[in-house]
Amino acid sequence: MKSVKVKDLLQSAQTQTNITVKGWVRTFRNNQFIALNDGSTLHNIQCVVDFENTPETTLKRITTGAALSITGNLVESQGAGQKYEVQATHLEILGDSDAEKFPMQPKKHSLEFLRENAHLRVRTNAFGAIMRVRSVLSFAVHNYFQERGFVYVNTPIITGSDAEGAGEMFKVTALPFDGTPRDEDGKVNYKEDFFGKETNLTVSGQLEAETFAMALGQVYTFGPTFRAENSNTSRHLAEFWMIEPEVAFNDLNDNMDLAEDFIQYVIKYTLAHCADDLKFLESRLIDEEKVKPQAERSEMSLLEKLNFVLENNFKRVSYTEAIDILKNSKPNKNKKFNYIIEEWGADLQSEHERYLVEKHFKCPVILYDYPANIKAFYMRLNEDGKTVRAMDILFPGIGEIVGGSQREERYDVLVEKMKVLGIDEKELWWYLDTRRFGTAVHSGFGLGFERLVLFVTGMTNIRDVIPFPRTPQNAEF
């Protein structure tokens, strides 16, 4: 018999007979009451066992984490807090269950403990909710772009270029570690490697996406990217997913419009489709905030923070204006910032970005026209010769969430910038070709998907919003 989802049973308009539900035991009380969950919803359904007619050996095997198939009748519940329950007429235990060793017992576990059991943590309410929200957000991303005629492009995971210029990339090689072939200068001879050149895991699909935008008009990528940054902070992963649209004929203002509309759409969509999960995550966050010192507590609840983004227009502020505001702010003058703003050209930190959003403007902020020397080579140089048409979107509680720019479409200017930064023209000949053949104004942005999930779920560590986090010294599971 085909089983019915727990979510569908809980939302049923009427009682039902002879239905089958399958899932995992969350709790088993008094040898009679099973709380069953199949992952379709945050909520469990109570299944009532006829313990007098169920063998003792079977009852002993109904333990937390056990997988069951239960057939019975959906009836109105006699207990409080639930509309329906299943009166079991037949129960089958699917596979084995070791009650003494199953680590996800029905109690509060630390996030660190759950990371050590990432293969099982999704069975908890918190991580079930996070992963359902992540799934809905992912669908919303594709929905937004597909509804607007964007073409989904799969850019290479293995690449010979460093889009960010930071050099923190994972090498891809088939060469042996012992007896690595070397050239006359003693350097690794990549000509003997699989691809015949030095290759790495990509840090961004942007450069390749730009080539497609120059033919298809508006495209987006959504795939895994990699950074070999040796950082163990709560904001960094070695493997994460990036959303990167590129649009021909869009200038920076168009780019800001697109980014604001996009991010409001996906948040609104998720609020509409994950109400129960977000309400649960908000309650969880409120409980966690209670144990923090008053000064470290958030001024907004999770749902207030999400609605803050939806209900406010994003304030557009130049980097130069932002620097003046920060230099003259009380935290800066009183040396409360960890990084004191002293002069134009400083690279803003999260504390500065959050001050602009949460204290000064009290709305999401888009900063634009950054100093050229702190931004990537592909960003369009302004007429002042010292700033570029870059933009960052800043959110409460998290700081920067989106980074983008109008791309440098002028061949000569781009070549000169590459020379100054020591970027080999021969390595990016194909990228320069897009500036030689039918060049046009175009723009795009990047949004780290996990950063978005972090914001929407209210979690504070990025390792808790991806199924299996990859970080320094950690590639378990």
Side-chain angles (χ1 to χ4, degrees), residues 234-235 263 300 305 309 349-351 353-355 357-358 393-402 447-460 462 465:
S234 61
R235 293 161 58 92
I263 207 163
M300 290 184 279
K305 195 168 58 173
V309 171
Q349 305 298 316
S350 178
E351 60 181 344
E353 296 165 342
R354 290 186 59 185
Y355 174 83
V357 173
E358 298 168 25
I393 296 182
L394 316 180
F395 270 14
I398 199 168
E400 180 197 340
I401 193 165
V402 170
L447 169 58
F449 185 55
E450 282 69 31
R451 187 71 64 87
L452 176 63
V453 180
L454 197 72
F455 179 77
V456 173
T457 60
M459 301 301 289
T460 56
I462 204 162
V465 297

Side-chain angles (χ1 to χ4, degrees), residues 215-257:
L216 300 175
Q218 47 185 25
V219 303
Y220 73 104
T221 75
F222 186 7
T225 52
F226 308 85
R227 300 279 170 91
E229 184 177 354
N230 190 15
S231 175
N232 267 306
T233 75
S234 61
R235 293 161 58 92
H236 291 91
L237 291 167
E239 176 186 354
F240 55 100
W241 286 65
M242 282 285 285
I243 303 156
E244 298 177 292
E246 290 290 329
V247 185
F249 316 118
N250 266 15
D251 63 14
L252 187 66
N253 289 322
D254 299 322
N255 203 36
M256 290 190 278
D257 290 341

Side-chain angles (χ1 to χ4, degrees), residues 277-295:
D277 288 321
L278 290 173
K279 187 176 180 181
F280 168 81
L281 291 169
E282 179 177 58
S283 297
R284 179 194 168 279
L285 186 60
I286 290 170
D287 289 340
E288 295 226 331
E289 291 279 301
K290 289 177 182 177
V291 301
K292 292 182 180 179
Q294 188 68 39

Side-chain angles (χ1 to χ4, degrees), residues 140-196:
V141 168
H142 286 290
N143 218 37
Y144 178 86
F145 289 120
Q146 291 295 323
E147 285 178 357
R148 287 154 182 79
F150 280 69
V151 177
Y152 178 39
V153 177
N154 301 117
T155 52
I157 290 175
I158 299 173
T159 179
S161 63
D162 180 0
E164 298 300 318
E168 295 169 334
M169 305 178 76
F170 290 101
K171 293 189 185 301
V172 174
T173 182
L175 294 175
F177 287 105
D178 297 323
T180 304
R182 299 186 179 275
D183 59 23
E184 295 177 354
D185 298 324
K187 296 180 179 179
V188 174
N189 185 2
Y190 286 105
K191 289 183 179 178
E192 295 190 24
D193 206 349
F194 186 90
F195 292 106

Side-chain angles (χ1 to χ4, degrees), residues 91 97 122 128 145 169 178 263 299 307 314 355-356 407 466:
L91 183 150
S97 181
V122 74
F145 289 120
M169 305 178 76
D178 297 323
I263 207 163
E299 295 181 4
N307 284 304
F314 293 13
Y355 174 83
L356 293 169
R407 315 311 190 188
I466 191 169

